[in-house]
Amino acid sequence: MTRGYKGPQKIAEMWNSLPQTRHPELDVHPEQYLIECHQLPGLPDPTGQSPTGVGGLIIEVHGKFDESVDGKIETRSFDRSFIIGPGNGPGGIRVLNDIMCARAYGGHEAWSPESQPIPQAQAGAPMPTAAPAPPTAGALAGFPKGYGAPAPGKSETQVQQEQLVAQISAKSGMTLQYSEMALSGNGWNLDAAWKNFEELKAQGALPANAFLNGA
């Protein structure tokens, strides 16, 4: 089920209508969260001074929460995407869009770092120099200006779909076109689209041009 709200009052009323939740403390259990942040150019300028828009950020948070349903505590996973930019809010920031997706609990092992043995240097041996890591396949490379951000003439549904496409693209490294195909072919269900992507990738069924780096 998908619900959309616009305006501070309606959004506040929606949050107040939801069951009370409890989240792990971030500073105590950071391993239970995954937080990603990418630059997003071309957001609408609230002052109207920049016709090409202003720079902002898209922030994605993945984690879990407990909620009380009919006196029973249930644990769920969540994915939340924010688009923020300059504005008149606290700290000069405004939230242009906020998408919250609640789903069945799936754990946090997917983003747990893998432990790797640390090589021991022999006495007198030169210390190896780490080669600079190649740039990550552009998580938001090639995104049109204002992609995923509200704009005149753009419906709320389109904004939400663009943000889902951006999330799949950033996570999978696929182009916008193939990311959109993955979502539209799975009813715009993020979990189903990701599962379908992993299956096709494992089968080698995705062409090289499906990825931003051509791999």
Side-chain angles (χ1 to χ4, degrees), residues 132-159:
T136 304
L140 291 180
F143 276 38
K145 288 185 177 180
Y147 191 84
K154 184 185 291 187
S155 68
E156 188 72 18
T157 298
Q158 182 181 351
V159 172

Side-chain angles (χ1 to χ4, degrees), residues 26-191:
L26 181 59
D27 56 344
V28 178
H29 300 287
E31 75 283 355
Q32 296 186 14
Y33 290 91
L34 175 64
I35 302 176
E36 303 174 280
C37 182
H38 309 286
Q39 294 182 355
L40 188 63
L43 298 179
D45 183 2
T47 67
Q49 297 179 0
S50 175
T52 59
V54 294
L57 298 172
I58 178 170
I59 303 172
E60 298 173 359
V61 183
H62 312 276
K64 73 169 188 176
F65 64 89
D66 295 330
E67 70 175 1
S68 177
V69 180
D70 297 328
K72 180 182 177 182
I73 301 299
E74 295 186 4
T75 301
R76 302 183 187 276
S77 292
F78 74 89
D79 308 291
R80 195 167 178 184
S81 298
F82 304 87
I83 290 183
I84 62 174
N88 297 323
I93 300 297
R94 63 172 176 156
V95 179
L96 284 82
N97 200 274
D98 179 358
I99 293 180
M100 167 77 171
C101 175
R103 51 188 172 83
Y105 180 61
H108 59 271
E109 292 77 11
W111 56 75
S112 297
E114 297 181 359
S115 58
Q116 297 181 352
I118 301 176
Q120 300 294 325
Q122 297 180 355
M127 292 295 291
T129 302
T136 304
L140 291 180
F143 276 38
K145 288 185 177 180
Y147 191 84
K154 184 185 291 187
S155 68
E156 188 72 18
T157 298
Q158 182 181 351
V159 172
Q160 293 178 359
Q161 289 179 346
E162 287 181 355
Q163 291 185 358
L164 290 174
V165 171
Q167 189 170 340
I168 282 285
S169 179
K171 189 175 181 181
S172 67
M174 289 197 300
T175 63
L176 292 181
Q177 179 184 1
Y178 275 85
S179 298
E180 183 175 349
M181 289 168 58
L183 284 160
S184 61
N186 288 279
W188 292 95
N189 183 300
L190 190 62
D191 291 335

